[in-house]
Amino acid sequence: MAEITATLVKELREKTGAGMMDCKNALKDAEGDMDKAVEILRKKGIARASKKADRAVNEGRIEAYIHPGSKLGVLVEINCETDFVAKTDDFLTFTRDVAMQIAASAPLFVKREDVDQATIDSEMEIYRAQAKDQGKPDNIIDRIAAGKLDKFYSEICLMEQPFVKDPDKTIENLLTETIAKLGENISIRRFIRFKVGE
Amino acid sequence: MAEITATLVKELREKTGAGMMDCKNALKDAEGDMDKAVEILRKKGIARASKKADRAVNEGRIEAYIHPGSKLGVLVEINCETDFVAKTDDFLTFTRDVAMQIAASAPLFVKREDVDQATIDSEMEIYRAQAKDQGKPDNIIDRIAAGKLDKFYSEICLMEQPFVKDPDKTIENLLTETIAKLGENISIRRFIRFKVGE
């Protein structure tokens, strides 16, 4: 069995923000494989995070991002449960990452539940018409349109966008990791993005 | 006749941002009285500014203000005619003052024309009812209500609010002065104010 060195544990802690014993156990279970250990911790984190998702969030931070040149700016409110967590560096990093994400990727909504029905209907109509034009059989047109709608959500909903600093995760993954790391429910409440003359 | 010293001219320039010759002439016309000279320049500025008010504004700056503690934040777009003016210190100072004003005084609209009719109707109804309750005669109830509506506008409309750093002027006065100083049409286009949990 691979030796679990202090260096390995330290590396895993820095990667995941998980506690020392959790990291040691994950590395043992993964037989020293760093990627597997991260995966184990992430799964645990997700399990823990989903238990926290119903707790009330009334604290938090307002974060601004102004792009160099001052032609583009973002304001975002991110909530957590206590002012103690709101003041941690990890929370600050998360709020800054989210503000920069909004500046870079211009989402229109936080999550797909926020998209209004009129927008969904008009998108679906376009996708169905496109599929029909391409000669697709009627019985699969709805499936094609639904697939395109998912793609559309991943472009306009912040939570489903790939994280600009690490496109292997979505913002939702990043949120879940931050919940796991900080041990509190966290929620991206609202944002706005202004561009000069837009 | 009072002597117009270089010190007086300098003081007036700093107060108003007007040109050297304009300040000298204003002080002459005001016979060395600083307050009168300011008034003369302000009137000139307003005259010049109103000529500029129709010119197109497609440039500008997005400015953010985050109140210490990060529980309150503001994002504002302020437009001008050229990127050259957008990059001046005077424009920057103006955008910062406006962002801080919004944080401090929580306006709901930029100007009274932006207030929706439903809000106006419901306010007027309340004011009329109050005046009636106080036994005011019918023929002056509308005048009383209109006066109260003006007061309401000065609380909720950014342009009509007293400037927090100098309550003798409104934000509209400050805007007019800035237009006169920079020689371009300037317009406060939109703003948003987020407070944690609000």
Side-chain angles (χ1 to χ4, degrees), chain B residues 93-112:
Chain B
T93 303
F94 178 68
T95 61
R96 286 191 176 154
D97 279 344
V98 170
M100 198 185 292
Q101 171 80 26
I102 295 163
S105 300
L108 300 173
F109 303 92
V110 175
K111 50 191 190 300
R112 62 168 72 191

Side-chain angles (χ1 to χ4, degrees), chain B residues 21 28 35 68 87 99 101 106 116 144 149 164 171 180 190 193 196:
Chain B
M21 284 312 295
K28 268 188 200 159
D35 288 344
K87 286 185 171 133
Q101 171 80 26
D116 53 293
I144 291 171
L149 191 66
V164 284
I171 296 299
R190 51 182 172 165
R193 185 181 185 272
V196 167

Side-chain angles (χ1 to χ4, degrees), chain A residues 70-109:
Chain A
S70 297
K71 301 293 181 199
L72 172 66
V74 163
L75 197 68
V76 59
E77 175 176 354
I78 302 187
N79 295 135
C80 57
E81 297 173 44
T82 64
D83 193 44
F84 177 79
V85 157
K87 287 185 170 131
T88 58
D89 285 346
D90 283 329
F91 192 75
L92 180 60
T93 302
F94 178 68
T95 61
R96 286 191 175 154
D97 280 344
V98 171
M100 198 185 293
Q101 171 79 26
I102 295 163
S105 300
L108 300 174
F109 303 92

Side-chain angles (χ1 to χ4, degrees), chain B residues 13-19 61 63 78 80 84-98 163 165 174-175 177-184 186:
Chain B
R13 289 197 68 186
E14 280 166 4
K15 264 195 174 152
T16 62
R61 265 181 89 82
E63 186 73 38
I78 302 188
C80 56
F84 177 79
V85 157
K87 286 185 171 133
T88 57
D89 285 346
D90 284 328
F91 193 75
L92 180 60
T93 303
F94 178 68
T95 61
R96 286 191 176 154
D97 279 344
V98 170
F163 178 31
K165 284 168 86 177
L174 185 69
L175 173 66
E177 282 177 22
T178 310
I179 293 175
K181 203 185 286 183
L182 290 172
E184 279 199 4
I186 294 169

Side-chain angles (χ1 to χ4, degrees), chain A:
Chain A
M1 182 178 162
E3 200 198 344
I4 311 303
T5 63
T7 319
L8 271 180
V9 173
K10 188 164 173 282
E11 193 187 332
L12 185 57
R13 289 196 69 185
E14 280 166 4
K15 266 197 174 151
T16 61
M20 171 117 51
M21 285 311 294
D22 281 344
C23 288
K24 215 168 177 175
N25 290 333
L27 279 163
K28 268 189 200 159
D29 293 348
E31 295 174 352
D33 182 322
M34 182 60 63
D35 289 342
K36 262 191 203 161
V38 170
E39 195 51 37
I40 289 169
L41 282 177
R42 189 170 285 175
K43 276 181 191 154
K44 271 194 190 164
I46 290 167
R48 269 203 300 258
S50 67
K51 271 190 227 159
K52 295 187 181 88
D54 289 332
R55 300 206 315 230
V57 282
N58 303 312
E59 277 296 340
R61 264 183 91 82
I62 309 294
E63 187 72 39
Y65 172 79
I66 300 288
H67 195 67
S70 297
K71 301 293 181 199
L72 172 66
V74 163
L75 197 68
V76 59
E77 175 176 354
I78 302 187
N79 295 135
C80 57
E81 297 173 44
T82 64
D83 193 44
F84 177 79
V85 157
K87 287 185 170 131
T88 58
D89 285 346
D90 283 329
F91 192 75
L92 180 60
T93 302
F94 178 68
T95 61
R96 286 191 175 154
D97 280 344
V98 171
M100 198 185 293
Q101 171 79 26
I102 295 163
S105 300
L108 300 174
F109 303 92
V110 174
K111 50 190 190 297
R112 61 167 72 191
E113 291 77 15
D114 300 337
V115 184
D116 53 293
Q117 195 58 42
T119 301
I120 298 171
D121 291 346
S122 109
E123 287 295 317
M124 282 297 276
E125 204 167 308
I126 293 165
Y127 301 147
R128 281 198 200 96
Q130 283 172 345
K132 217 177 173 103
D133 279 356
Q134 287 163 5
K136 306 287 181 193
D138 280 357
N139 59 337
I140 65 160
I141 280 181
D142 272 352
R143 213 160 10 133
I144 291 171
K148 286 196 173 177
L149 191 66
D150 271 338
K151 177 97 176 39
F152 175 71
Y153 284 139
S154 77
E155 285 162 4
I156 62 161
C157 298
L158 174 61
M159 291 292 258
E160 305 193 21
Q161 288 183 340
F163 178 32
V164 285
K165 285 166 86 176
D166 179 0
D168 289 341
K169 356 175 152 161
T170 61
I171 296 298
E172 180 147 34
N173 295 148
L174 184 69
L175 173 66
T176 304
E177 283 177 21
T178 309
I179 293 174
K181 203 184 285 185
L182 290 173
E184 279 199 4
N185 189 15
I186 294 169
S187 143
I188 302 170
R189 186 168 167 224
R190 51 182 172 165
F191 67 84
I192 194 104
R193 184 179 184 273
F194 284 172
K195 201 172 164 184
V196 166
E198 197 175 77

